[in-house]
């Protein structure tokens, strides 16, 4: 299933917008003062899961951001108030880390092997 739009809500959407812009992503206010929306190629956001219900898949969805330098992305996120988890090495696949953004949303950074 491909998502056409990705929205995030937060108590302080301005802070959340600054966080994601600081990571190099383009966002805009979908509804001023309430929601931010990622401005990107819709094909970049996908949801996959074992359940048949789209609602169930979206409930557990995690945004994964492919980064060139995982350590730099982690440091930048932490400096902007994110809680950064432990790096997980996935053998020949690459490295990944879960991050809780300032709004409490869990996202994941991924750096491919090589």
């Amino acid at each position: 299933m491909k998502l056409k739009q990705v929205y995030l809500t937060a108590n302080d959407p301005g802070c959340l917008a600054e966080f994601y812009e600081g990571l190099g992503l383009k966002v805009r206010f979908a509804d001023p003062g309430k929601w931010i929306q990622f401005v990107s190629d819709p094909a970049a956001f996908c949801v996959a899961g074992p359940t048949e219900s789209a609602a169930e898949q979206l409930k557990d969805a995690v945004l994964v951001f492919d980064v060139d330098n995982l350590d730099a992305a982690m440091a930048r996120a932490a400096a902007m108030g994110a809680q950064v988890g432990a790096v997980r090495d996935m053998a020949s696949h690459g490295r990944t880390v879960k991050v809780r953004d300032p709004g409490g949303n869990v996202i994941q950074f991924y750096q491919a092997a090589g």
Side-chain angles (χ1 to χ4, degrees):
M1 163 180 21
K2 298 231 185 231
L3 297 180
K4 297 204 182 266
Q5 296 177 329
V6 176
Y7 292 88
L8 290 179
T9 60
N11 290 334
D12 186 350
C15 176
L16 201 58
E18 287 178 20
F19 173 78
Y20 283 101
E21 288 172 341
L23 293 178
L25 299 169
K26 293 181 181 178
V27 299
R28 70 177 180 91
F29 283 97
D31 185 0
K34 294 183 182 176
W35 307 19
I36 62 168
Q37 178 183 24
F38 292 96
V39 180
S40 179
D41 176 2
F45 295 99
C46 301
V47 175
T51 63
E52 295 178 11
S53 163
E56 285 298 312
Q57 289 182 20
L58 292 174
K59 180 178 77 173
D60 296 329
V62 174
L63 297 177
V64 178
F65 299 101
D66 189 10
V67 297
D68 293 329
N69 184 325
L70 185 66
D71 296 322
M74 290 169 52
R76 193 168 41 242
M80 291 186 291
Q83 296 174 352
V84 179
V87 174
R88 194 174 112 208
D89 284 314
M90 299 184 305
S92 63
H93 297 290
R95 300 167 59 212
T96 185
V97 64
K98 288 197 176 177
V99 175
R100 187 173 297 277
D101 73 18
N105 302 293
V106 176
I107 60 174
Q108 186 172 324
F109 294 154
Y110 170 75
Q111 180 181 349

